[in-house]
Amino acid sequence: MNPITLLRSQKLPAAFYERKNVCTVAKGLLGKILVSNFDNRLTAGRIVETEAYNGPADKASHAWNGRRTSRTEIMYRHGGVAYVYFCYGIHHMFNVVTNVADIPHAVLVRALEPVAGIQSMLARTSKAKADFTLTKGPGNLAKALGIHTSHSGMDLQSDALFIADDGVRIPAAAIAATPRIGVAYAGDDALLPYRFLVKNNPYVSGKKLAD
């Protein structure tokens, strides 16, 4: 079985994304494999860092206080679709919509450890050689996997963009929960421990955790 066929057979079911607790989904995504297969170029990476956004109750969320715009309307769809937005006029940011329709929860995927298609990732990012910055941070990982705002709204049951479960499990002791990055504007909500990461993984973004 070739790699893309195998990964497609391991695709996460819709029910994984439709769970009510966005933090449960965000933590559960650690260790899963984000896969893109655009123009027959397979690229994939193991998820090592995520952030949860708790919809209308969360001042850091694009859907805080029930806000709806042409951009954020995708967040109100059923769990298991991609929400990709443009940040700082530079970066495309890949998020997974969670929960059921009309409850706009989402998980930002912040970092990946590459597992397939490194040469394609290098070409997309104009890098001469692979290093930890290749897929460290949400902007870098989206660029490496070829994810663009044009993919916003794509169902993650598609064969071009999806998340797979190859059986790898991250032990609870290897997972840390911290405040999210870059959401100081959210006041007290900026302090919520909604960022989940694999400890000591070199692809994780932000400052190194204290031992």
Side-chain angles (χ1 to χ4, degrees), residues 26-186:
K27 188 183 296 186
L29 283 171
L30 295 177
K32 305 301 188 289
I33 299 177
L34 176 59
V35 182
S36 71
N37 190 38
F38 305 131
D39 301 320
N40 292 316
R41 298 169 71 187
L42 169 65
T43 46
R46 195 173 303 281
I47 298 171
V48 296
E49 182 184 2
T50 60
E51 284 182 348
Y53 288 85
N54 195 32
D58 183 356
K59 291 179 182 178
S61 171
H62 290 173
W64 176 64
N65 204 28
R67 184 169 182 257
R68 298 180 84 139
T69 67
S70 57
R71 181 180 75 168
T72 63
E73 193 62 30
I74 288 163
M75 297 179 71
Y76 289 84
R77 289 178 57 184
H78 63 85
V81 299
Y83 169 46
V84 188
Y85 64 89
F86 203 39
C87 185
Y88 304 130
I90 303 172
H91 301 300
H92 300 266
M93 312 284 271
F94 171 77
N95 299 256
V96 178
V97 174
T98 71
N99 215 311
V100 296
D102 294 323
I103 300 180
H105 293 172
V107 176
L108 172 66
V109 179
R110 288 197 56 91
L112 304 174
E113 182 173 334
V115 297
I118 289 177
Q119 290 306 312
S120 291
M121 294 183 188
L122 291 172
R124 285 174 177 149
T125 57
S126 300
K127 286 181 174 289
K129 63 179 182 178
D131 59 24
F132 297 132
T133 66
L134 184 61
T135 48
K136 174 185 284 195
N140 288 334
L141 77 85
K143 190 172 184 178
L145 268 66
I147 299 172
H148 188 273
T149 51
S150 62
H151 299 120
S152 199
M154 182 176 284
D155 196 312
L156 297 178
Q157 297 304 308
S158 77
D159 286 340
L161 183 64
F162 60 92
I163 300 174
D165 181 358
D166 68 346
V168 168
R169 296 291 178 267
I170 308 298
I175 296 173
T178 78
R180 293 166 292 189
I181 293 174
V183 295
Y185 57 84

